[in-house]
């Protein structure tokens, strides 16, 4: 059996930066380090950081006054930020720089007098943070039907922004619906949409031309990982989302000669290796890495961590 690995796959620069922030904060402090929400959507990563001493909370009320608190890569609202200031928490912000860029774009569009339309999934932590970073009304839409239902005059000057874990392909139809309905529309250029999401989706489409089964390594609550599995299914390939090798069902591989493996942007290499090992227990394997984009982007750490390093 041949296992073909997508390229790129796994960690993106924003996830690497967020995990590095937690690890450096733990190394530099003797006291507890609190993290609001999962730093990234992956149980293995969270459990590993817990073992190193990080304490994860969903609400700042769980954090003692004055304690060091890290905001997750998904970003937070102004209200959460203000609460942290009131509680005199020492905050290190691990928000992905691309998420922060969306916040700034939304606020800039609002300052230009435009009505802001946010394309994304209701309830996702990134969406909750973005809605709370723009000091004015923002209309959340998930698809073309939502655009049609918006209670906004068609001649209203509007601007759209998008959730970073959605790709150009994911948002294309919704953006087209916005442009078809409204007469005055602006939005970010496609290069401003998260490079990692688009690259991983493109790689999966390339992979699905070659394989009989697709395994996506990622967490069930990871938006980008779920989307990779959906793309495999859309390509007509039996596709499964697995957290690690223990979730690989040998029945999926019966009679299969070519297996594709990829990983969401918050899944570490160790889990990919675990899944490959599980496949190897079903049948002897050879491994091939598909040609694809080599990502060289890195994001700087917050100044306070650089100064202390």
């Amino acid at each position: 059996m041949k296992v073909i690995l997508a390229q790129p796959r796994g960690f993106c620069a924003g996830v690497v930066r967020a995990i590095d922030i937690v690890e450096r904060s733990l190394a530099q402090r003797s006291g507890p380090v609190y993290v609001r929400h999962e730093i990234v959507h992956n149980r293995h990563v969270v459990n590993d950081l817990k073992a190193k001493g990080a304490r994860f909370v969903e609400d700042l009320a769980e954090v003692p006054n004055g304690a060091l608190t890290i905001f997750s890569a998904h970003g937070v609202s102004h209200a959460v930020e203000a609460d942290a200031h009131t509680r005199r928490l020492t905050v290190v912000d691990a928000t992905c720089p691309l998420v922060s860029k969306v916040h700034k774009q939304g606020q800039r569009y609002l300052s230009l007098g435009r009505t802001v339309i946010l394309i994304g999934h209701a309830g996702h932590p990134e969406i909750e943070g973005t809605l709370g970073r723009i000091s004015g009304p923002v209309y959340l839409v998930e698809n073309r039907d939502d655009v049609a239902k918006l209670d906004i005059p068609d001649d209203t000057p509007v601007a759209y922004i998008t959730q970073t874990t959605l790709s150009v392909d994911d948002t294309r139809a919704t953006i087209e619906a916005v442009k078809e309905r409204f007469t005055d529309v602006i939005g970010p250029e496609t290069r401003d949409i998260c490079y990692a999401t688009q690259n991983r989706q493109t790689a999966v489409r390339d992979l699905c031309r070659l394989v009989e089964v697709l395994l996506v390594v990622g967490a069930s609550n990871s938006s980008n990982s779920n989307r990779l599995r959906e793309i495999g299914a859309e390509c007509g390939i039996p596709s499964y989302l697995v957290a690690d090798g223990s979730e690989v069902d040998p029945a999926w591989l019966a009679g299969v000669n070519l297996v594709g493996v990829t990983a969401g942007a918050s899944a570490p290499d160790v889990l990919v290796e675990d899944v490959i090992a599980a496949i190897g227990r079903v049948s002897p394997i050879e491994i091939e890495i598909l040609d694809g984009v080599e990502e060289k982007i890195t994001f700087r750490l917050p100044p306070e961590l650089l100064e202390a390093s």
Side-chain angles (χ1 to χ4, degrees):
M1 185 184 300
K2 178 180 284 189
V3 176
I4 306 178
L5 302 178
Q7 174 66 27
R9 64 187 178 279
F11 280 175
C12 63
V15 166
V16 170
R17 175 180 180 271
I19 295 171
D20 199 8
I21 284 172
V22 178
E23 291 181 334
R24 287 189 182 225
S25 297
L26 287 166
Q28 293 172 9
R29 290 182 68 90
S30 56
V33 172
Y34 293 85
V35 184
R36 184 187 181 275
H37 192 64
E38 292 183 344
I39 188 68
V40 295
H41 281 157
N42 188 278
R43 183 182 62 208
H44 176 88
V45 171
V46 169
N47 288 341
D48 183 57
L49 293 173
K50 280 182 180 178
K52 294 176 181 178
R55 302 183 185 182
F56 289 84
V57 301
E58 286 302 312
D59 195 308
L60 290 187
E62 303 172 60
V63 180
N65 288 351
L68 176 66
T69 306
I70 298 172
F71 293 154
S72 81
H74 305 103
V76 300
S77 66
H78 281 307
V80 171
E81 199 171 53
D83 185 25
H85 179 74
T86 300
R87 301 270 309 287
R88 297 185 179 179
L89 303 180
T90 301
V91 171
V92 181
D93 191 356
T95 300
C96 174
L98 294 180
V99 174
S100 296
K101 185 174 184 178
V102 172
H103 296 167
K104 292 173 184 175
Q105 285 172 332
Q107 191 58 46
R108 181 172 66 85
Y109 290 146
L110 191 73
S111 69
L112 294 174
R114 292 184 174 269
T115 295
V116 178
I117 297 172
L118 171 58
I119 301 170
H121 298 311
H124 190 281
E126 182 186 327
I127 289 298
E128 292 176 354
T130 301
L131 290 171
R133 297 298 296 190
I134 302 172
S135 55
V138 180
Y139 293 83
L140 176 63
V141 298
E142 297 195 21
N143 49 48
R144 294 184 66 96
D145 291 342
D146 288 345
V147 175
K149 296 173 186 174
L150 287 173
D151 187 18
I152 307 171
D154 294 352
D155 59 353
T156 302
V158 302
Y160 64 86
I161 53 177
T162 71
Q163 181 177 325
T164 63
T165 50
L166 300 176
S167 71
V168 176
D169 294 337
D170 293 332
T171 58
R172 182 175 287 114
T174 308
I175 291 171
E176 287 175 356
V178 172
K179 292 180 176 178
E180 288 168 4
R181 177 174 166 189
F182 296 99
T183 57
D184 185 356
V185 180
I186 62 172
E189 296 186 34
T190 54
R191 68 169 181 264
D192 290 334
I193 295 175
C194 178
Y195 74 93
T197 300
Q198 185 64 49
N199 287 349
R200 279 152 189 73
Q201 292 187 10
T202 298
V204 162
R205 288 190 173 90
D206 292 341
L207 184 63
C208 285
R209 296 189 183 100
L210 305 174
V211 301
E212 299 162 79
V213 171
L214 173 69
L215 301 182
V216 179
V217 185
S220 60
N221 63 337
S222 166
S223 175
N224 71 86
S225 298
N226 276 285
R227 185 65 186 122
L228 293 176
R229 186 204 62 77
E230 290 170 0
I231 289 172
E234 289 168 5
C235 292
I237 304 298
S239 303
Y240 306 95
L241 179 65
V242 294
D244 53 40
S246 70
E247 295 188 356
V248 175
D249 186 342
W252 299 339
L253 307 177
V256 171
N257 295 313
L258 294 168
V259 181
V261 175
T262 189
S266 52
D269 278 344
V270 65
L271 297 183
V272 176
E273 293 166 2
D274 191 46
V275 167
I276 293 171
I279 299 170
R281 289 191 288 273
V282 175
S283 169
I285 61 173
E286 60 175 302
I287 298 173
E288 176 184 332
I289 300 176
L290 197 65
D291 288 339
V293 175
E294 182 179 354
E295 295 173 348
K296 298 181 179 181
I297 293 174
T298 59
F299 294 134
R300 286 176 57 85
L301 292 169
E304 59 267 35
L305 291 180
L306 288 173
E307 292 166 3
S309 61

